[in-house]
Amino acid sequence: MENNQNKNEALKAYAKAEFDKIDKDKKGYISTSDFADIILATRQRANLPPLNDLELGKIMKSVDPEKTGHITFETWFKFLRMGKKVADTAQKQQKEKENK
């Protein structure tokens, strides 16, 4: 349990440092426009196919359901954790396939 807590704290510290790099004016949030740019650039660097407008819209709705135009650190962190869980699950499933 403590190991998971340490991992979560390390992930949160890393996420906060990255968030602070994006939140250059230190308002405590990033714009949804900046967030969308980050998502698209990250996918491109990872050689993943680009998102279409519908897919990007779904992501934006999940991080800014009230259309405020802002994403707080807590929302950013929840999004990162969700992505990590999806990646971990996919990796686990791939290993299980390889072991069959």
Side-chain angles (χ1 to χ4, degrees):
M1 177 76 167
E2 187 173 317
N3 193 24
N4 283 341
Q5 185 175 359
N6 290 340
K7 286 181 182 179
N8 190 48
E9 288 174 14
L11 178 61
K12 193 167 191 171
Y14 174 78
K16 179 67 172 140
E18 291 300 307
F19 183 87
D20 288 345
K21 287 179 190 176
I22 301 162
D23 180 22
K24 293 177 181 148
D25 56 10
K26 306 301 176 215
K27 289 185 177 179
Y29 60 83
I30 58 175
S31 72
T32 51
S33 175
D34 286 345
F35 181 76
D37 291 344
I38 292 164
I39 295 291
L40 297 174
T42 301
R43 289 183 66 83
Q44 186 177 19
R45 279 194 308 274
N47 292 320
L48 296 170
L51 296 172
N52 64 40
D53 290 342
L54 181 62
E55 293 166 326
L56 186 57
K58 285 180 182 181
I59 292 171
M60 299 313 292
K61 187 175 181 178
S62 74
V63 295
D64 185 23
E66 302 198 6
K67 298 182 182 180
T68 64
H70 303 122
I71 299 170
T72 64
F73 171 71
E74 288 304 319
T75 301
W76 164 269
F77 187 60
K78 284 178 189 176
F79 180 80
L80 292 179
R81 286 187 54 191
M82 179 180 62
K84 183 177 179 335
K85 286 179 185 177
V86 169
D88 289 348
T89 300
Q91 185 178 29
K92 182 179 175 183
Q93 289 174 344
Q94 182 62 36
K95 283 182 180 180
E96 289 172 355
K97 274 185 179 179
E98 290 170 359
N99 290 331
K100 286 185 178 183

